[in-house]
Amino acid sequence: MAVTASGVFRRTAIERSDQRVSWERTDQAFFSSGACHVLAWTCRDFYPDQEIALAALYLGDFEHPLHVYARWGAWAFDASGWNLEAELLQANSDFEGLPVREVETISCGLREFCEAHVHRQPHQYWADPTERARAYVARYDPPWL
């Protein structure tokens, strides 16, 4: 699948205020905007024998990351599947009209990340998205196969 900027799927006001409405979006929309961090952590856990890191993408002057994804070498995994990380960064920068300010390697756990960056933990969604994320990761062949 071609890389798509996460902002293409930015949540509407009703999707931000009603977790069930957000949950009912397509998988790509749900994991592009609103649950990208859950997908990234799930991807890393799905492949415990690989050295998959987690990354947070910051654009412009935003205090919190715009997008979170898993990375393996030059590859990135997000709701667009596996793509070259450079293409993911460019797509998001082009869509937002802002330069990539920073790509931070995440070194804390999911709970700490969520608390620091105002993201929901899996138990705070309408339903826990972890199994949905596992099924989504399984749809895409990783680059090392």
Side-chain angles (χ1 to χ4, degrees):
M1 173 186 305
V3 66
T4 302
S6 63
V8 169
F9 301 99
R10 191 161 283 129
R11 289 176 292 160
T12 64
I14 188 69
E15 290 166 346
R16 292 183 85 62
S17 66
D18 187 326
Q19 280 295 305
R20 183 173 181 187
V21 173
S22 181
W23 178 268
E24 291 174 348
R25 294 180 298 156
T26 66
D27 286 341
Q28 186 176 16
F30 181 74
F31 290 120
S32 287
S33 180
C36 60
H37 59 294
V38 175
L39 184 64
W41 255 268
T42 300
C43 179
R44 186 187 64 186
D45 294 346
F46 197 84
Y47 298 107
D49 58 332
Q50 298 296 323
E51 292 191 26
I52 294 177
L54 304 175
L57 166 64
Y58 294 82
L59 293 175
D61 294 331
F62 294 137
E63 176 184 358
H64 298 291
L66 171 76
H67 194 50
V68 176
Y69 58 94
R71 63 157 51 137
W72 181 80
W75 293 91
F77 181 82
D78 76 342
S80 294
W82 288 100
N83 289 283
L84 291 173
E85 184 177 28
E87 293 175 2
L88 176 70
L89 300 178
Q90 191 64 55
N92 280 281
S93 180
D94 289 349
F95 181 82
E96 299 294 339
L98 296 167
V100 173
R101 174 172 54 93
E102 178 183 5
V103 175
E104 171 187 56
T105 299
I106 300 169
S107 58
C108 62
L110 178 59
R111 180 178 179 206
E112 294 82 10
F113 179 84
C114 291
E115 289 172 356
H117 296 290
V118 196
H119 282 56
R120 286 184 176 90
Q121 295 179 49
H123 71 275
Q124 295 173 314
Y125 285 84
W126 183 75
D128 187 330
T130 307
E131 285 304 317
R132 184 176 177 180
R134 281 190 191 110
Y136 198 77
V137 171
R139 292 181 200 170
Y140 297 94
D141 290 332
W144 58 82
L145 290 183

